[in-house]
DNA sequence: ACCTGAACACCGTTCAAGT
DNA sequence: ACCTGAACACCGTTCAAGT
């Protein structure tokens, strides 16, 4: 009876399912999202979820879109196109870092709602930069590809770091050590930047790359 | 120790397992790689595979590395750093297009063998370009992030296109139609480039982005 | 309309037992 | 050392049956 009244008070909705899915994904990772676990959290049966969502892919895409929409929520005002692009890029970098399951989810549903949201935000600024119409598509897809690619890579790094024990500098130190021991003939470059690996700042490097692309665009 | 005894013609080896896994992944996609299906193809039991590989992740990473090593096999000669970088970029773009499962596999094993191979190849050219030591890490990780990000995105597009029916121009036309019907106030940019979506060449846009980054690097 | 929960057809992985 | 194949503990998804 307690269970029944509980269910009545907060009826199952698509939104509630998505919110709980996000919580599950954030706390237990990609593998933690299970229809059984989700149903238990929502005090319902696994089959009930299918009344509101089509399948797991649909759920993942919806969860992803909810995060992206939230992060891109605040409309930018009074800033240069470059600054807005940088802000959007950092917002996505941080969002994917906070929710590492977004990367795979975005890749699995290309050109759907979340990606189009980002495309639009970046595209408006590409236009504001005065890039000719014929080059806008290439410009925005380069920017989009870079932002998502580096962010996903960074989140994956952080994630495996967490799985290995948490201490970031220890992990990086260990990796740097492994690189330093690579074959000197085959891997001269990797060996030479092993030290930099330990000191570098992913977020700053990411932003530097965005600036690189912006610079290239303006002198195209 | 030297093995004197004759090996069975069809003895199970790590290499044979990896080759068969690649064949399975290529023909049936990521979900097609199953220990049962793989064991059947190799005329053995599922458990036998675990004598040669640690788990599915290990297998996926090994398959991924085999492809990357093969594609980066030919050592570059007599070409400018820029041309070599472009060649490596295109090689990876085509490899990921041909084996779409590589994207997720690369992301799941960051900074392991395959990624380090690519890092080294790109890094040697970054060095040859005369980028200062202190900036080399940021430069190569920007390039790497862009190349993988756009390639993975492109492969995912092609993949879902295949799933939906195969006719690329029909799919793009349909997507362009959907974009053209988006809300005019919220999505002005996306609507405006819907037409370009139909005509653009992913591979050329990708290469244009590489050049953008190279240009930015040289004027940094 | 919405929900239940058992059932179906799968998975990856393990392990006693064989050769 | 290497392989077998049944068993375990899971999955996503479906669907008759309930309210």
């Amino acid at each position: 009876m307690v269970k029944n009244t509980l269910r009545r008070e907060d009826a199952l909705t698509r939104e509630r399912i998505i919110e709980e899915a996000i919580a599950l994904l954030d706390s237990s990772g990609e593998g933690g999202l299970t229809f059984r676990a989700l149903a238990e959290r929502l005090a319902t049966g696994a089959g009930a979820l299918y009344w509101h969502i089509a399948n797991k892919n649909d759920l993942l895409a919806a969860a992803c879109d909810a995060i992206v929409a939230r992060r891109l929520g605040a409309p930018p005002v009074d800033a240069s196109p470059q600054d807005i692009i940088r802000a959007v890029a950092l917002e996505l970098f941080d969002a994917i870092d906070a929710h590492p399951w977004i990367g795979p989810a975005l890749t699995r549903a290309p050109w759907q709602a979340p990606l189009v949201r980002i495309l639009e935000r970046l595209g408006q600024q590409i236009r504001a930069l005065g890039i000719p119409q014929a080059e806008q598509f290439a410009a925005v897809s380069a920017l989009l590809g870079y932002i998502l690619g580096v962010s996903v890579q960074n989140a994956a790094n952080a994630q495996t770091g967490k799985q290995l024990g948490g201490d970031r500098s220890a992990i990086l130190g260990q990796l740097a050590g492994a690189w330093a021991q690579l074959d000197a003939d085959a891997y001269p470059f990797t060996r030479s930047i092993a030290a930099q690996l330990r000191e570098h700042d992913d977020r700053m490097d990411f932003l530097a790359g965005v600036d690189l692309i912006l610079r290239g665009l303006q002198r195209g």
Side-chain angles (χ1 to χ4, degrees), chain A residues 23-186:
Chain A
L24 212 43
L25 284 162
D26 285 345
S27 67
S28 321
E30 214 181 336
L33 179 59
T34 282
F35 277 84
R36 286 167 188 34
L38 190 54
E40 195 183 4
R41 265 170 170 268
L42 291 162
T44 184
L49 304 173
Y50 283 86
W51 186 264
H52 301 274
I53 56 168
N55 50 46
K56 192 171 183 177
N57 234 322
D58 177 42
L59 178 56
L60 223 38
C64 181
D65 194 40
I67 300 284
V68 170
R70 207 170 294 161
R71 290 281 182 154
L72 295 184
V77 281
D78 252 14
S80 70
Q82 287 94 338
D83 284 344
I84 295 176
I85 287 174
R86 280 190 204 100
V88 168
L90 278 182
E91 201 63 45
L92 290 170
F93 183 89
D94 293 337
I96 296 177
D97 194 50
H99 313 279
W101 47 270
I102 285 186
L106 269 182
T107 302
R108 220 159 302 160
W111 295 136
Q112 294 310 300
L115 226 46
V116 172
R117 269 185 223 281
I118 304 170
L119 180 82
E120 179 66 31
R121 271 299 173 83
L122 294 173
Q124 290 181 5
Q125 304 312 315
I126 289 291
R127 210 195 237 168
L129 281 174
I131 308 285
Q133 163 87 14
E135 298 166 22
Q136 287 178 7
F137 190 92
V140 77
S141 79
L143 204 48
L144 186 63
Y146 172 81
I147 291 172
L148 295 182
V150 177
S151 297
V152 167
Q153 205 70 39
N154 172 73
N157 292 343
Q159 203 61 9
T160 51
K162 233 180 232 169
Q163 284 167 3
L164 290 178
D167 184 353
R168 177 191 142 88
S169 80
I171 307 254
L172 279 183
Q174 197 177 331
L175 190 56
W179 282 13
Q181 287 179 345
L182 287 169
D183 181 75
D185 287 333

Side-chain angles (χ1 to χ4, degrees), chain A residues 1-18:
Chain A
M1 345 245 136
V2 173
K3 197 180 166 198
N4 272 338
T5 43
L6 246 178
R7 219 182 299 121
R8 256 163 220 269
E9 280 169 16
D10 26 33
L12 211 51
T13 62
R14 187 166 220 268
E15 285 65 38
R16 240 165 62 78
I17 294 173
I18 292 169

Side-chain angles (χ1 to χ4, degrees), chain A residues 193-212:
Chain A
I193 57 159
Q196 283 181 62
L197 177 68
R198 211 192 249 100
E199 299 157 16
H200 86 289
D201 180 334
D202 295 288
R203 208 160 173 275
M204 285 302 107
D205 286 355
F206 167 70
L207 204 51
V210 172
D211 286 335
L212 212 65

